[in-house]
Amino acid sequence: MTLTPAPEPVVPRPGPEIRPTAVRPRSPESPHGPDAGRFVGPGPDTGRGRDAGHGPDAGPAPLLPRAVCEAALTALLLFLIVTAVRWLVGPDPGAAAARPAVLGAVVGTLLALFMMSPPGRCSGGHLNPAVTLALWRLGAFPGREVVPYAVAQLTGSVFGVWCAGLVWGPVTARPPVRHASVRADPAWGDATVLAAEAGVLAGSTLMLSVLLASPGGRRVLPYAVGLTTALVIGVLGPLSGGSANPARQFGPALLAGDTGRLWVYVLGPALGAVLGAWLAGRTGLRRTAG
């Protein structure tokens, strides 16, 4: 019989002490995603810090450059609108049925391009005081900056229309161009036009509240805004005027002396923005950007 010695016990060698690493709990994300706190407007993934060139963790870009971007883009938009109207209806009054659709396609495309441009990404690409108001009521824009943005947009509107008059001459001031000032169908009274303008902005605000709630929605937002604008101008242009933007009518009406209904085109969209944000809150669509 062969005796096998018992195996020696294995003694663990001393090694570096391994300490458990504490896992920090993740803070809950905002419903807008990780970049929501820097969001200032409807442009694609627009950020106050990142898109303004200050780095991903920087604070808001200064108000002045963003307001200047709003004024410049609004001025360019109105200049191009007057230019389009001048060549659509100026020398030749024919083909009236196609004008609203063509103008709507032009303006909708311009809006989408401006929102995605570097200045649009810097400011948020509102180009509309009612949109700025709506974003504030939705919690996506600071209230203290609503008035500076609106002043910039209205100033840009006047400047853009004035520049178009300088470039294209007296034809822009005479009928049927009249600085591209919109006019409702004579059968539409003030109350009807006011309701139409408010209804468009209420629906647009609800659309904003849905699309701003996710990064994917923000990416398609410029296209959605452009398409909506084209439809509004194409369908409501011959009826209510299809403005849906106080800045769209402010400069043209002021320079054309067509201010009788200007209050309708200013008050209607503003009321619609507030109503749309209220409906978004009541239906659970409203999301905050903080």
Side-chain angles (χ1 to χ4, degrees):
M1 171 188 276
T2 304
L3 297 177
T4 304
E8 296 182 0
V10 179
V11 180
R13 297 181 179 180
E17 181 181 357
I18 301 176
R19 297 181 179 179
T21 303
V23 179
R24 298 177 60 185
R26 293 182 61 187
S27 57
E29 286 188 356
S30 162
H32 289 283
D35 294 329
R38 301 190 299 275
F39 187 70
V40 293
D45 291 329
T46 302
R48 295 184 187 179
R50 178 189 58 193
D51 294 333
H54 294 287
D57 297 322
L63 172 61
L64 182 59
R66 289 187 281 117
V68 169
C69 287
E70 280 292 300
L73 287 175
T74 307
L76 182 57
L77 176 66
L78 265 295
F79 175 86
L80 293 174
I81 287 176
V82 175
T83 299
V85 172
R86 181 256 183 271
W87 290 107
L88 279 173
V89 306
D92 181 13
R99 291 179 205 146
V102 174
L103 184 61
V106 170
V107 176
T109 302
L110 289 174
L111 273 178
L113 292 175
F114 286 175
M115 289 173 67
M116 294 184 290
S117 68
R121 291 175 63 85
C122 174
S123 69
H126 302 186
L127 309 182
N128 185 339
V131 168
T132 301
L133 180 62
L135 290 169
W136 168 49
R137 299 306 301 162
L138 290 172
F141 190 77
R144 66 182 178 276
E145 296 181 0
V146 171
V147 172
Y149 258 53
V151 170
Q153 292 153 354
L154 296 178
T155 302
S157 172
V158 174
F159 184 70
V161 176
W162 179 74
C163 288
L166 288 181
V167 172
W168 301 118
V171 68
T172 61
R174 295 194 295 262
V177 180
R178 295 182 58 85
H179 297 291
S181 177
V182 301
R183 288 193 168 189
D185 187 282
W188 282 52
D190 290 348
T192 308
V193 176
L194 184 73
E197 292 284 298
V200 169
L201 255 295
S204 299
T205 303
L206 290 172
M207 179 186 72
L208 283 174
S209 68
V210 172
L211 295 181
L212 293 184
S214 67
R218 292 200 299 272
R219 282 193 291 270
V220 302
L221 187 51
Y223 309 104
V225 170
L227 179 60
T228 301
T229 301
L231 291 174
V232 168
I233 295 174
V235 175
L236 290 179
L239 303 174
S240 68
S243 172
N245 180 350
R248 162 64 181 91
Q249 179 67 348
F250 186 76
L254 217 59
L255 270 70
D258 190 16
T259 57
R261 272 189 171 176
L262 181 58
W263 68 273
V264 175
Y265 292 104
V266 172
L267 182 61
L271 290 177
V274 174
L275 175 61
W278 178 81
L279 289 173
R282 296 286 294 180
T283 57
L285 296 176
R286 182 173 177 173
R287 299 289 186 269
T288 60

